[in-house]
Amino acid sequence: MSSDTQIAQDALTFADLGLSPKVLSAVADAGYTQPTPIQAGAIPHALQGKDVLGIAQTGTGKTASFVLPMLTRLENGRARARMPRTLILEPTRELAAQVEENFVKYGKNSRLNRALLIGGVSFDDQERKLERGADVLIATPGRLLDHFERGKLLLSAVEILVIDEADRMLDMGFIPDIERICKLIPFTRQTLFFSATMPPEITKLTEQFLHTPVRVEVAKASSTASTVTQKLVKSGSKPWDKRAVLRDLIRAEDAELKNAIIFCNRKVEVSELFRSLIKYDFNAGALHGDMDQRARMTMLANFREGKLKLLVASDVAARGLDIPDVSHVFNFDVPIHAEDYVHRIGRTGRAGRSGKSFTIVTRSDTKYVDAIETLIGKPIEWHDGDLSTVVESEGDEAPRRGRAGQRGRGRKDEGERKRGAHRAKADDEKQVPEVLASDGAEQDERRSRRENIKADNAERKARHEAPARHEERRQRHHKEDDDKVVGFGEDIPAFMLVGAKI
Ligand code: AMP
């Protein structure tokens, strides 16, 4: 983009984009004054009915870049029963629900019918909404096809098709479903297509289903907002050392801490840390890929409404979620991929507000910290002295492989291990397994959980396929496995991964 174009875009207002007065008024009520680059680039073309290929990730304002022009274009006309006028495909139920919220927010001056077709919810309500006629249909691919096969839906009146988060659809194995759906929709439709990256499979899909699209690309985030105070915090390498450091930090920050997200690298750690925080009476919830849909939605809603102060999450579970600005981000683990650090930190210090982030660092994390500092182009300050002053807990250097490692443990360490095992057991007994939906949606719940696991695995697999990272992860996993003292590793029973009732 030339600097002239950049200046011109910076000066743009929403009114310059050609949106209808009703939509402009809703945008003003939402408090947004300036379009983001993806909005400025995509909206004028989308309003003209052109196909758009938007290369942008969540957090760039891409949802409004398709919702606003769609609302404007839908003002004339009405949907007929079972024949939606538009279709938005989302890879996950949370993202679909988030898009619906955007339609509610920006469409408050329009009287459009919406239907949300996602798994984990009964078919009956969804069918009633389809029957009433949906101007806007938001769906995950599997559930959409289920309705289609039951004969409850016709796609022949769809005027605008949105495919969102296409690369994530690829990770989750949804591309054959997308191809099938595209073929069921009239050729003359408008297609708005969004993806954060453009792997060959996605390029092929765009060549097949988009007609001379306008390409709008937004740069990937590689810097952190200046409103965020970032700190590194030294810790011993044992999980219980890290948990104690975290508890001290949370307590020390209490006066300023409104709400916080605590990021872990793996879902097993999310569960362990969540249980530990509950045990120490912190007001905490957890979000990870194995939780069923209802538990995840409840957890998120409670966090958004301020009923939960701390949310423990993995990158996979938090990805794409529009969680409101938080006052603090804690990295319980240093992220292995430097870009994840930028995404995590981006959850605080939004819209000019101030935020704080603390990253707990152990001796084995230094190369990941180096990579982060290189990516963000600046060093991160230590909170209370660097790693040179860390005292590792006793038994730390003892080999931990197999029986020999067990024999090598000091008495104190063994005691801690037993106490830890006891604690974990007591904590497990405290957990209330989430009751599965009783309204016939049990099968949906199971499927939804399978989809979540599939998403997690696919993401992990995709990452493993990058050879350099593969080796890094392998070594780190090895280390993590060695460090693990208490717990079930990857074989943790399903009931323990279910969210607790609040
Ligand atoms: P998205 O990339 O669509 O997930 O949006 C990320 C966040 O940016 C959401 O919380 C939106 O409400 C917010 N947002 C969208 N458009 C704007 C804008 N023009 N100015 C400020 N914030 C925005």
Side-chain angles (χ1 to χ4, degrees), residues 14 27 30-39 56-68 95 98-99 102 105-106 164-165 320-325 350-351:
F14 278 103
V27 170
Y32 303 142
T33 50
Q34 248 199 336
T36 64
I38 185 79
Q39 292 164 359
Q57 59 196 16
T58 317
T60 54
K62 80 173 155 63
T63 316
S65 79
F66 59 83
V67 171
L68 302 181
L95 285 169
Q98 231 165 259
V99 168
N102 272 257
K105 180 161 73 171
Y106 302 124
D164 195 17
E165 302 262 342
L321 291 184
D322 186 17
I323 297 169
D325 190 42
R350 287 187 185 177

Side-chain angles (χ1 to χ4, degrees), residues 23 84 103 151 213 260 347 363 365 403 442 457 486:
V23 172
F103 272 100
R347 304 287 179 170
R363 289 213 163 98
D365 295 326
R403 288 170 182 275
E442 203 169 302
N457 289 343
V486 180

Side-chain angles (χ1 to χ4, degrees), residues 328-400:
H328 287 64
V329 166
F330 295 100
N331 289 319
F332 182 73
D333 298 308
V334 179
I336 295 162
H337 305 303
E339 317 89 73
D340 286 342
Y341 179 83
V342 179
H343 291 147
R344 292 179 181 187
I345 302 302
R347 304 287 179 170
T348 185
R350 287 187 185 177
R353 282 193 285 265
S354 62
K356 278 188 164 184
S357 84
F358 293 93
T359 301
I360 298 175
V361 183
T362 69
R363 289 213 163 98
S364 55
D365 295 326
T366 47
K367 67 176 170 183
Y368 303 112
V369 173
D370 291 347
I372 291 166
E373 292 183 332
T374 306
L375 179 73
I376 65 172
K378 60 180 181 190
I380 311 170
E381 264 178 50
W382 287 96
H383 174 58
D384 190 18
D386 63 21
L387 284 168
S388 61
T389 54
V390 163
V391 182
E392 296 286 353
S393 354
E394 201 183 320
D396 195 52
E397 300 305 319
R400 286 278 172 97

